[in-house]
Tab-separated table of all heavy atoms in Angstrom:
chain	number	residue	atom	x	y	z
A	1335	CYS	N	-109.301	-62.041	-92.071
A	1335	CYS	CA	-110.510	-62.263	-91.281
A	1335	CYS	C	-110.737	-61.085	-90.363
A	1335	CYS	O	-109.791	-60.417	-89.953
A	1335	CYS	CB	-110.357	-63.554	-90.465
A	1335	CYS	SG	-111.895	-63.989	-89.619
A	1341	TYR	N	-107.650	-70.451	-81.909
A	1341	TYR	CA	-107.139	-71.720	-82.443
A	1341	TYR	C	-106.896	-71.645	-83.960
A	1341	TYR	O	-106.476	-72.626	-84.567
A	1341	TYR	CB	-108.144	-72.854	-82.159
A	1341	TYR	CG	-109.539	-72.503	-82.627
A	1341	TYR	CD1	-109.901	-72.644	-83.949
A	1341	TYR	CD2	-110.479	-71.978	-81.742
A	1341	TYR	CE1	-111.153	-72.276	-84.394
A	1341	TYR	CE2	-111.742	-71.615	-82.171
A	1341	TYR	CZ	-112.070	-71.771	-83.506
A	1341	TYR	OH	-113.300	-71.393	-83.955
A	1342	CYS	N	-107.230	-70.506	-84.562
A	1342	CYS	CA	-107.172	-70.419	-86.029
A	1342	CYS	C	-106.225	-69.322	-86.492
A	1342	CYS	O	-105.270	-69.572	-87.224
A	1342	CYS	CB	-108.575	-70.172	-86.578
A	1342	CYS	SG	-108.635	-69.930	-88.365
A	1379	THR	N	-114.951	-70.448	-98.619
A	1379	THR	CA	-114.566	-70.271	-97.232
A	1379	THR	C	-113.381	-69.305	-97.176
A	1379	THR	O	-113.105	-68.575	-98.123
A	1379	THR	CB	-114.298	-71.671	-96.581
A	1379	THR	OG1	-113.744	-71.485	-95.283
A	1379	THR	CG2	-113.375	-72.543	-97.384
A	1380	GLY	N	-112.670	-69.284	-96.052
A	1380	GLY	CA	-111.546	-68.354	-95.950
A	1380	GLY	C	-110.594	-68.827	-94.860
A	1380	GLY	O	-110.560	-70.024	-94.566
A	1381	GLY	N	-109.975	-67.928	-94.194
A	1381	GLY	CA	-110.313	-66.598	-93.729
A	1381	GLY	C	-111.818	-66.383	-93.701
A	1381	GLY	O	-112.584	-67.331	-93.740
A	1382	GLU	N	-112.176	-65.162	-93.570
A	1382	GLU	CA	-113.607	-64.865	-93.605
A	1382	GLU	C	-113.959	-64.463	-95.040
A	1382	GLU	O	-113.536	-63.408	-95.518
A	1382	GLU	CB	-113.942	-63.740	-92.607
A	1382	GLU	CG	-115.371	-63.239	-92.697
A	1382	GLU	CD	-116.411	-64.358	-92.752
A	1382	GLU	OE1	-116.320	-65.338	-92.011
A	1382	GLU	OE2	-117.340	-64.235	-93.589
A	1383	PRO	N	-114.727	-65.306	-95.748
A	1383	PRO	CA	-114.964	-65.034	-97.167
A	1383	PRO	C	-115.641	-63.687	-97.411
A	1383	PRO	O	-115.390	-63.042	-98.440
A	1383	PRO	CB	-115.860	-66.193	-97.616
A	1383	PRO	CG	-116.410	-66.803	-96.367
A	1383	PRO	CD	-115.397	-66.545	-95.296
A	1408	THR	N	-118.943	-71.141	-95.817
A	1408	THR	CA	-118.675	-71.208	-94.379
A	1408	THR	C	-118.205	-69.832	-93.948
A	1408	THR	O	-117.261	-69.280	-94.532
A	1408	THR	CB	-117.595	-72.268	-94.070
A	1408	THR	OG1	-118.092	-73.552	-94.453
A	1408	THR	CG2	-117.287	-72.314	-92.583
A	1409	THR	N	-118.865	-69.279	-92.952
A	1409	THR	CA	-118.609	-67.896	-92.547
A	1409	THR	C	-118.748	-67.767	-91.037
A	1409	THR	O	-119.436	-68.581	-90.413
A	1409	THR	CB	-119.606	-66.941	-93.251
A	1409	THR	OG1	-119.547	-65.650	-92.630
A	1409	THR	CG2	-121.045	-67.427	-93.173
A	1410	ASN	N	-118.120	-66.732	-90.480
A	1410	ASN	CA	-118.334	-66.493	-89.048
A	1410	ASN	C	-119.654	-65.767	-88.804
A	1410	ASN	O	-120.019	-65.505	-87.659
A	1410	ASN	CB	-117.147	-65.750	-88.430
A	1410	ASN	CG	-116.913	-64.376	-89.049
A	1410	ASN	OD1	-117.846	-63.678	-89.419
A	1410	ASN	ND2	-115.643	-63.976	-89.133
A	1432	SER	N	-120.061	-70.363	-88.125
A	1432	SER	CA	-119.230	-70.848	-87.027
A	1432	SER	C	-119.453	-70.004	-85.784
A	1432	SER	O	-119.390	-68.772	-85.846
A	1432	SER	CB	-117.747	-70.767	-87.431
A	1432	SER	OG	-117.543	-71.471	-88.641
A	1471	ASN	N	-121.650	-74.416	-86.695
A	1471	ASN	CA	-120.462	-75.234	-86.416
A	1471	ASN	C	-119.730	-74.660	-85.214
A	1471	ASN	O	-119.479	-73.453	-85.160
A	1471	ASN	CB	-119.481	-75.184	-87.598
A	1471	ASN	CG	-119.964	-76.017	-88.769
A	1471	ASN	OD1	-120.812	-76.894	-88.621
A	1471	ASN	ND2	-119.422	-75.748	-89.941
A	1473	VAL	N	-116.245	-75.344	-82.725
A	1473	VAL	CA	-115.044	-76.116	-82.400
A	1473	VAL	C	-115.042	-76.401	-80.898
A	1473	VAL	O	-115.327	-75.510	-80.089
A	1473	VAL	CB	-113.773	-75.335	-82.803
A	1473	VAL	CG1	-112.521	-76.056	-82.314
A	1473	VAL	CG2	-113.715	-75.157	-84.318
A	1498	ILE	N	-117.252	-79.637	-83.739
A	1498	ILE	CA	-116.069	-80.048	-84.504
A	1498	ILE	C	-114.906	-80.275	-83.545
A	1498	ILE	O	-114.583	-79.387	-82.736
A	1498	ILE	CB	-115.676	-78.945	-85.513
A	1498	ILE	CG1	-116.846	-78.642	-86.454
A	1498	ILE	CG2	-114.445	-79.347	-86.305
A	1498	ILE	CD1	-116.558	-77.510	-87.431
A	1499	GLU	N	-114.316	-81.432	-83.644
A	1499	GLU	CA	-113.154	-81.723	-82.803
A	1499	GLU	C	-111.994	-80.820	-83.240
A	1499	GLU	O	-111.750	-80.650	-84.444
A	1499	GLU	CB	-112.777	-83.193	-83.006
A	1499	GLU	CG	-111.827	-83.716	-81.979
A	1499	GLU	CD	-111.704	-85.241	-82.096
A	1499	GLU	OE1	-112.113	-85.821	-83.123
A	1499	GLU	OE2	-111.176	-85.836	-81.150
A	1500	LEU	N	-111.302	-80.251	-82.271
A	1500	LEU	CA	-110.151	-79.403	-82.584
A	1500	LEU	C	-109.096	-80.225	-83.324
A	1500	LEU	O	-108.756	-81.332	-82.911
A	1500	LEU	CB	-109.552	-78.864	-81.275
A	1500	LEU	CG	-108.292	-78.017	-81.442
A	1500	LEU	CD1	-108.621	-76.651	-82.051
A	1500	LEU	CD2	-107.589	-77.834	-80.092
A	1501	MET	N	-108.615	-79.688	-84.438
A	1501	MET	CA	-107.564	-80.391	-85.180
A	1501	MET	C	-106.216	-79.707	-84.914
A	1501	MET	O	-106.158	-78.469	-84.828
A	1501	MET	CB	-107.887	-80.385	-86.669
A	1501	MET	CG	-109.077	-81.273	-86.978
A	1501	MET	SD	-109.466	-81.355	-88.710
A	1501	MET	CE	-110.610	-80.016	-88.879
A	1503	MET	N	-103.969	-78.340	-86.298
A	1503	MET	CA	-103.500	-77.655	-87.506
A	1503	MET	C	-103.089	-76.236	-87.135
A	1503	MET	O	-103.762	-75.587	-86.337
A	1503	MET	CB	-104.638	-77.541	-88.525
A	1503	MET	CG	-105.229	-78.848	-88.980
A	1503	MET	SD	-104.207	-79.657	-90.193
A	1503	MET	CE	-103.982	-78.394	-91.410
A	1506	GLY	N	-103.785	-74.162	-83.985
A	1506	GLY	CA	-104.692	-75.057	-83.261
A	1506	GLY	C	-103.940	-76.105	-82.469
A	1506	GLY	O	-104.448	-76.624	-81.469
A	1631	MET	N	-105.166	-72.643	-90.648
A	1631	MET	CA	-106.506	-73.011	-91.135
A	1631	MET	C	-107.128	-71.872	-91.943
A	1631	MET	O	-107.927	-72.098	-92.838
A	1631	MET	CB	-107.414	-73.358	-89.964
A	1631	MET	CG	-107.319	-74.793	-89.538
A	1631	MET	SD	-107.739	-75.945	-90.861
A	1631	MET	CE	-108.753	-77.097	-89.952
A	1632	SER	N	-106.781	-70.641	-91.594
A	1632	SER	CA	-107.353	-69.504	-92.333
A	1632	SER	C	-106.854	-69.476	-93.777
A	1632	SER	O	-107.513	-68.918	-94.655
A	1632	SER	CB	-107.002	-68.195	-91.630
A	1632	SER	OG	-105.610	-68.156	-91.350
A	1635	GLY	N	-108.810	-72.950	-95.158
A	1635	GLY	CA	-110.255	-72.816	-95.270
A	1635	GLY	C	-111.062	-73.736	-94.376
A	1635	GLY	O	-112.278	-73.820	-94.507
A	1636	GLY	N	-110.402	-74.471	-93.486
A	1636	GLY	CA	-111.124	-75.343	-92.562
A	1636	GLY	C	-111.479	-76.681	-93.193
A	1636	GLY	O	-111.232	-76.919	-94.349
B	1902	LIG	N1	-114.182	-67.597	-91.190
B	1902	LIG	C1	-115.074	-68.643	-91.538
B	1902	LIG	C2	-115.599	-69.354	-90.326
B	1902	LIG	O1	-115.057	-69.159	-89.247
B	1902	LIG	O2	-116.547	-70.103	-90.487
B	1902	LIG	C3	-114.505	-69.643	-92.526
B	1902	LIG	C4	-113.075	-70.078	-92.341
B	1902	LIG	S1	-112.743	-71.038	-90.883
B	1902	LIG	C5	-111.035	-71.425	-91.136
B	1902	LIG	C6	-113.589	-72.553	-91.276
B	1902	LIG	C7	-113.842	-73.461	-90.111
B	1902	LIG	O3	-112.614	-73.999	-89.664
B	1902	LIG	C8	-114.500	-72.795	-88.913
B	1902	LIG	O4	-115.661	-73.515	-88.546
B	1902	LIG	C9	-113.446	-72.910	-87.841
B	1902	LIG	O5	-114.009	-73.013	-86.572
B	1902	LIG	C10	-112.719	-74.162	-88.266
B	1902	LIG	N2	-111.378	-74.296	-87.702
B	1902	LIG	C11	-110.367	-73.400	-87.704
B	1902	LIG	N3	-109.278	-73.895	-87.095
B	1902	LIG	C12	-109.605	-75.146	-86.684
B	1902	LIG	C13	-108.907	-76.193	-86.006
B	1902	LIG	N4	-107.650	-76.051	-85.605
B	1902	LIG	N5	-109.574	-77.341	-85.768
B	1902	LIG	C14	-110.858	-77.509	-86.171
B	1902	LIG	N6	-111.554	-76.583	-86.833
B	1902	LIG	C15	-110.944	-75.409	-87.085
Side-chain angles (χ1 to χ4, degrees):
C1335 187
Y1341 52 81
C1342 176
T1379 172
E1382 173 47 43
T1408 297
T1409 167
N1410 61 35
S1432 305
N1471 285 341
V1473 173
I1498 302 177
E1499 194 170 15
L1500 177 72
M1501 290 182 270
M1503 300 282 307
M1631 273 301 223
S1632 49

